[in-house]
Each structure stands twice: as structure tokens, then as C-alpha cells.
Amino acid sequence: ALLPGSGGVVDLPTYAFQHRRYWLEPSSATAGAERLGLDRTGHPLLGAAVEPAEDGGLLLTGRLAIGSHPWLADHTVAGTTLLPGTAFLEFALAAADRAGCDRVAELTIEAPLPLPASGGVRLQVAVGSPDAAGRRTVGIHSAPAASVPPVEWTRHATGLLEPAADAPADTLASWPPAGATAVPVEDAYPQLEALGYQYGPAFQGLRAVWRRGDELFAEIGLPAGQEAAADRYGVHPALLDAALHPVVLSLAGDRTLLPFSWSGVRLHATGATELRVHWSPAGPDTVALVAADAAGAPVLTADLLALRPAPAGTAAAGAARSLHQVEWVTAAAAAPSGGWAVLGPDGTALLSDAPRYADPAELSAALSAAPSAVDVPENVAVVCGPGDPADPGPLVAHALTLIRSWLADERFADSRLVFVTRGAVAARPDDTVPDLAAAALWGLVRTAQSEHPGRFALVDVDVDVDADGVLPAGVPVGQEPQVAVRGGAVLVPRLARVAPGETSPVLDPAGTVLVTGGTGGLGALFARHLVSAYGVRHLLLVSRRG
């Protein structure tokens, strides 16, 4: 009765592998935002926003997944599905609009964002509070959608948003441009594929190209199926990405170029489904952009777009941004770190003039007996070790007792307990770490530092060098939670990026590799990797509890 003449039977939608979807997509990007105290944005990729009550900032959030945004699967570079670099600009433009700014003054893309085949990623666009001129910082971060606290976020882009006075923008009403020569585009996408860009239908929007000297002109259109969503974006990322394709073909040579930084970007109109674009050179691998709609009215202008070559394989490029190791670097000169006292019988060589007490209880008793004569010291040092490498338990237990006593006395709330060790950490390549028991103590104290910031410090000094007076004179325990003194130089740990392949562990196939936490799923994968990649034949897998 509802479908006259059909006999009550209609064809079902085609199967997913035929790449035509008729199913309605769930509105997961924005569903329930109000119930959680958030604002709905209406943006397809940034579904919710919140304005913190105190700091004047802005946070936009969303969830990206190929399952809910299937067109993203059509952007593959060097075999890896990546969020297009133009999407980062779209996020910054959306943030600028909501924050009352008119222009993206600058936006630097620090790391690509790979998209998993299943599951998704959480997205945050954080906007800072305005400065005196109304400018705001912006940062774009992601984390796996299945992350549980504490979440490890990756920063992908940073930039600056600013208000700007109205200024006339160039139009492209005369089209095709006078004096320009048409360039064939039939082989554009096979050429791009040879360079490592595997664009699916959603990103194959290049229709025509003209050249006039060093200038490029192009006509771009959103493929069928994408036009309906265009009015929810500033500029649809697939449309603007396609606008980059003639520039990439012109500049790439045999390289794989990716957007690196944008400067002076302004959005003049939204909802475009077609673009006329004009690229003009502005330096090595750098261009300026004017984009207009089909009538020539301005849509988007950019003072500068700089492109940079990706390392061999974009996946390696992303990994190079996400792998880190600890490096010890020379610390800046520091002012004296306040008054000192010493706990325990050791430490004479380190702090010869400081008063000493047996333990926190004796120091507390001295403060109680003569409150006017004994000041609460800002720093209290305790020299630890050497311990027994075969049994670090006693040294670590002693440190735990000191930590608990220290935290229990409120008079030490503004003081710092400084654990001093010798040879507990490898701060230089030739360090041998002879005191393994003290190394275990460092692990305990680092945990205490995380739970009670500013209450504890760690200092490791040379094993065979007289360190008389080094602590109060130049060790920045007030600014640095962990310090090493080597040859008179003060070193502090910093995270530094390391590219894949820069360091490769050397494992003896005849030895045994101990994997803690090796009985779970990740442990099994890692064990298999040790066998297949490093030739390890003897493995000892223990649970996290031993």
C-alpha cells in the first residue's frame, strides 16, 4: 500500500564492498553534546565545544573515524591513510570563527595524523585566551579513541589566530585567466600516484589547469556525494586538498610534498563546492593562494603555504614525530637553592657547612625545641648508597620510610627532600651506572615526585670526583626535579625526538631477554618481534606482578 505497483518488494541497498553507501550515518560527532554540558558546533568533524569558565580559552572536540567519515579513506600517502593537511587548516579556521578571530596568522603542521582502518581518534583543538591585541594561540592534538586515562596526546599543529581589519580580496572573475596556457590533466592522478599519493574518488577534484609563467590556475570541484556537506565546512578539506594537486605536480620532482605551514589565511565565504584557484610563487616550495567560487567571488586567501618533503614513507615521518628518548643536556645557570640541611651520617663532602640530623624525626624535634633558633630549611639532603646490586630492597625501603615521614610533617610542606646518589643514572654515553640499587631508588622517588610535585628532588653525582660544595652552589633543585653532575657540569633530562633507525638495540642471540609484562597480548606481540626482528632465541616472560 505504501509503494503502489512494487508488489511490496524493493531492492536492498548495495553491499558495502561495492563502495556505494545508502545507510544513514549516526550523528556520533554531535550526539548528546548538550547532555554533557557542551555546545554543539554543527561542524562535521568538530562536533562539540566548551568555553572554560575561568581562563577565557576555547576547546573544540571531535572524533574522527573512517567508519563515520568514509571519504577520509580516500586520502592515502605512501601507503598510509592520513588526515589531509588541509583539515588542520579547516580546524583552525573553525576555531578562529568561534573565538571571534578573522584570520589564521600562522599554522605549522608538526606531525601527520594517520587514521586507523577500524576504530577512531579523539581530536582536540585548544584555543588560548586572547592577548592585549586579541590574538589567540591554537593547538591541535589527537589520541586513540580507545585511550584510557592517563591519555597520551600527540600534538599535530600549532598556530596563532588574530583579528584583522577588513581588506579587499582578489577576485577571479575573468576565467579562464588571460594569457594562460591550458595544461592537460588527464594523467594528473596517475602521476600523483607515482609520487606516492593514492587519492580515491573523494579527492580527485582537479578538473582543469592553466599556466602563465610561474603562476598556476586551476578549476576544482567536489566529487559527487560530497557537495551536500560542503555548507557545514569553511572550505571542505577534500576540495582544498584537490586545489593543492597542481602545485604538488609542479614542485615535487621525485619528492612527496606535504603541507607544512600556512600564513595569513582568511576565509571570505563558506559552502563552496567549486573553486577557481590561483597559485603564485613566494619562495622555494612556497606559494601564495587566492581561491574563488564559480562566479569569481573570493572564498579563501593565503599569504603563504610552505610545503616540505616527507621522509621516505609518510608512516616513517609520523613515527619520527612520535618516538622520543631521554637526553641529558646542560642546565642553565641557577641561583643558589636556599638553605640546606643534611639527614644521616653521610654527606660531609657535599655539604660541609650544613646542619645535620639523623632523620626527619630529629629535625622535627629540633624545630619543636627551638622554633626561633632553627629555621625550616628549604632543602634537606640525604645521601643514599651505595647499595647492594643483588638486593636493592633495603635501600629502597629506607627511602620509602623517609618519604612517608617527610610527607607526614606539615612543617616540611614548603621544603624539599633531596636524594643524592652516586652512579645511579646514565647521564652521559660512557656512564656505567655502578649503583643499581640507587637506580631502583630513583624509580621510587620519581613516582613520589609525580604524586607530590615540588616536594622531592634527585641529584646524581660523579662516583670518583670530589663534589664538595656542588649542591648549594649550582644545582637547580628548585627548578629541576632530576639533576646529574658530571665533571662539574650540571645536566638535566629532556625528551628529544628520535627518528626510527637512529638507534638499534644490539641483542646477543645466545643471551636471554627478560620481558616484564610479557604474559599479556602486547607482551606476546613484542616477544614475537624480538624473535623475528632481532633473532632472539631465549625469552623470559614474566607478568607485571612478577
Side-chain angles (χ1 to χ4, degrees):
L2 295 176
L3 298 167
S6 69
V9 178
V10 294
D11 289 337
L12 289 172
T14 53
Y15 287 105
F17 59 76
Q18 292 177 303
H19 292 276
R20 294 191 67 191
R21 292 177 57 87
Y22 295 90
W23 306 108
L24 293 176
E25 295 292 348
S27 56
S28 58
T30 59
E34 295 94 338
R35 296 200 309 270
L36 300 176
L38 307 175
D39 296 329
R40 293 182 66 169
T41 65
H43 195 281
L45 304 180
L46 296 171
V50 62
E51 297 183 18
E54 295 187 357
D55 64 6
L58 171 68
L59 184 67
L60 302 173
T61 67
R63 183 182 185 276
L64 303 179
I66 291 175
S68 56
H69 306 94
W71 60 274
L72 290 172
D74 286 351
H75 188 270
T76 302
V77 181
T80 301
T81 301
L82 296 178
L83 183 73
T86 52
F88 293 120
L89 179 62
E90 168 66 18
F91 299 154
L93 289 168
D97 178 65
R98 193 169 183 92
C101 293
D102 307 294
R103 193 165 78 146
V104 177
E106 57 187 57
L107 184 71
T108 300
I109 300 173
E110 300 178 356
L113 174 49
L115 298 173
S118 59
V121 297
R122 298 158 63 180
L123 187 71
Q124 287 191 357
V125 180
V127 179
S129 57
D131 64 11
R135 295 171 299 192
R136 295 169 174 255
T137 59
V138 62
I140 302 173
H141 297 73
S142 80
S147 300
V148 295
V151 178
E152 183 176 347
W153 292 91
T154 298
R155 189 174 73 185
H156 296 281
T158 57
L160 185 68
L161 313 177
E162 65 180 7
D166 289 335
D170 293 340
T171 64
L172 298 175
S174 176
W175 200 259
T181 303
V183 177
V185 296
E186 292 79 8
D187 295 330
Y189 287 102
Q191 292 173 21
L192 287 166
E193 185 170 3
L195 293 173
Y197 307 91
Q198 296 89 37
Y199 292 128
F203 286 83
Q204 294 185 14
L206 183 61
R207 296 178 178 175
V209 175
W210 296 265
R211 180 181 291 276
R212 185 173 65 193
D214 291 334
E215 299 172 281
L216 285 172
F217 301 84
E219 194 170 284
I220 312 297
L222 275 176
Q226 299 298 319
E227 302 97 327
D231 60 354
R232 299 174 62 194
Y233 294 93
V235 177
H236 196 296
L239 185 68
L240 190 54
D241 188 271
L244 303 182
H245 298 171
V247 175
V248 170
L249 285 171
S250 176
L251 298 178
D254 59 355
R255 303 172 298 171
T256 303
L257 294 178
L258 297 175
F260 172 69
S261 65
W262 299 84
S263 300
V265 180
R266 186 155 189 174
L267 184 64
H268 304 278
T270 63
T273 59
E274 298 180 357
L275 289 180
R276 298 174 179 179
V277 297
H278 173 208
W279 296 103
S280 54
D285 292 339
T286 305
V287 290
L289 165 67
V290 175
D293 63 16
V299 171
L300 182 139
T301 54
D303 294 342
L304 292 175
L305 165 62
L307 298 108
R308 294 289 184 270
T314 302
R321 292 286 187 176
S322 62
L323 295 179
H324 296 76
Q325 66 182 8
V326 174
E327 291 185 356
W328 290 80
V329 301
T330 303
S337 301
W340 286 82
V342 176
L343 296 183
D346 298 320
T348 302
L350 295 175
L351 295 156
S352 56
D353 298 329
R356 58 193 60 252
Y357 306 90
D359 50 35
E362 184 175 325
L363 172 57
S364 180
L367 293 173
S368 299
S372 60
V374 179
D375 294 329
V376 179
E378 182 177 340
N379 304 289
V380 177
V382 53
V383 179
C384 301
D388 182 358
D391 184 13
L395 186 64
V396 174
H398 175 61
L400 180 59
T401 300
L402 290 175
I403 289 171
R404 287 173 170 167
S405 301
W406 186 258
L407 294 173
D409 196 325
E410 293 184 357
R411 283 177 293 187
F412 302 145
D414 296 324
S415 299
R416 186 178 302 105
L417 185 59
V418 182
F419 290 87
V420 183
T421 59
R422 290 180 181 269
V425 294
R428 285 185 170 171
D430 56 349
D431 282 353
T432 58
V433 193
D435 196 344
L436 296 180
L441 178 147
W442 267 63
L444 170 70
V445 178
R446 277 196 291 247
T447 300
Q449 288 175 331
S450 300
E451 296 175 351
H452 303 278
R455 301 295 307 278
F456 303 100
L458 286 160
V459 178
D460 192 70
V461 299
D462 290 300
V463 174
D464 54 356
V465 175
D466 183 7
D468 187 23
V470 69
L471 290 185
V475 176
V477 293
Q479 298 81 37
E480 299 288 343
Q482 300 163 35
V483 178
V485 181
R486 296 292 185 269
V490 178
L491 309 177
V492 293
R494 293 290 185 267
L495 276 182
R497 288 194 175 103
V498 54
E502 283 186 8
T503 59
S504 181
V506 178
L507 302 176
D508 181 4
T512 300
V513 175
L514 169 66
V515 182
T516 59
T519 58
L522 290 178
L525 290 173
F526 186 63
R528 180 178 294 276
H529 179 69
L530 289 171
V531 172
S532 61
Y534 295 98
V536 172
R537 291 294 174 265
H538 304 280
L539 293 144
L540 176 58
L541 311 181
V542 299
S543 70
R544 288 180 295 175
R545 298 180 62 183

